[in-house]
Amino acid sequence: MRSVPWWALLSSISAPILLVGGWSVSAELQGPGYDPASSTISILAADGAGGYWVMTSALLALGACHVTTAWGLRPAAVPGRVALAAGGLSAMLLALFPAPSSGGSFSHGVVVAIGFSLLAVWPVLAVRRGRGAVAREYDGGPGAAIPLRADPVPWGLRPVPSVTAAALMWLGGAWFLLALFVLGTAGAAERVITFAQSFWPLVVVVSCSRQAGGRAV
C-alpha cells in the first residue's frame, strides 16, 4: 500500500480548521443579529454580508484542501479520489454562486447539493481491498514459496468504516432538510454535517499514514 505525502496530511488537517475558523470569524463580523443555530453558513458568504470575504475565502481554501488531499491520497481507490476532488471544486464554485442576502437561489442550491452528495459518497468509492498474505514469491525450487508480507488496507479505507461514515453523512443530510423546513435549526445541522465531511478525509489520511509507518519491511 502506497504512503500518503506530508502535504496531503497538511491539507487534510487544514480543511476542518479553515471551515470552523471561517464560519466563526464571519459570524462575529456579521454581528449579533446572526443566529448560528438557525441561520445557514451560506448566509455568511452572501453578497453584502459582513463577513463575506472571510467565509468566501474559507470556502475556496477548503475546496483547495480537498483537491490537494485527493491528489495525495494514493492508497485510496481512484473513483473516491475523484469524488473528493470534485467535492472540493464544488466548495470553490460556491464563490461563483453565492446565496442571496434573502430568499433562495436555485444555482446555489444545486452546487450545494452536488457538493454534499460527492463528499457523502466518496468514502464508499475510495474503499480498497488488501491482497492479504496469500501472494507468494518463488525461487524456482519445489516447496520454496515464500509468503509476501501482508499489505492490509488502512482502517479508513475498509468497507465497514467507509460505509458507516457515508451512511451517517446521508443521515446528516436528511437531518439538515428536516431542520431547514421543520425544526428551524438548519444552522446547527449544517455545521455538524459540513464539519464531519471536512474531517473524514483527515481520518482516512491519518489511518493511511499510520499503516505505512507501522508496516514491517
Side-chain angles (χ1 to χ4, degrees):
M1 190 68 68
R2 292 174 290 181
S3 61
V4 178
W6 65 268
W7 44 265
L9 177 60
L10 178 61
S11 64
S12 64
I13 292 174
S14 300
I17 295 175
L18 288 166
L19 179 63
V20 175
W23 77 44
S24 299
V25 174
S26 297
E28 287 295 323
L29 295 175
Q30 189 73 359
Y34 178 80
D35 180 12
S38 59
S39 301
T40 64
I41 301 170
S42 297
I43 293 178
L44 297 174
D47 290 328
Y52 167 77
W53 285 109
V54 175
M55 195 66 241
T56 300
S57 298
L59 290 173
L60 290 171
L62 172 68
C65 285
H66 284 334
V67 172
T68 302
T69 301
W71 184 266
L73 195 55
R74 294 173 293 190
V78 172
R81 296 172 66 188
V82 171
L84 175 59
L89 292 175
S90 296
M92 299 172 75
L93 279 176
L94 289 176
L96 298 178
F97 301 98
S101 56
S102 61
S105 169
F106 177 77
S107 57
H108 177 80
V110 168
V111 174
V112 169
I114 292 174
F116 166 80
S117 299
L118 288 168
L119 293 177
V121 77
W122 90 266
V124 175
L125 298 179
V127 168
R128 296 296 296 264
R129 296 187 180 277
R131 64 183 181 181
V134 298
R136 297 176 181 273
E137 293 177 343
Y138 294 88
D139 63 1
I146 304 174
L148 293 174
R149 59 175 170 76
D151 190 17
V153 173
W155 182 87
L157 295 176
R158 296 175 187 174
V160 172
S162 300
V163 171
T164 301
L168 289 175
M169 291 177 193
W170 286 106
L171 286 175
W175 173 35
F176 171 73
L177 293 177
L178 182 65
L180 179 64
F181 295 110
V182 179
L183 303 177
T185 55
E190 184 182 30
R191 280 163 173 76
V192 172
I193 186 60
T194 53
F195 178 81
Q197 290 190 322
S198 69
F199 189 75
W200 183 251
L202 173 59
V203 173
V204 176
V205 169
V206 169
S207 71
C208 292
S209 299
R210 287 176 60 85
Q211 190 70 55
R215 193 170 58 222
V217 294

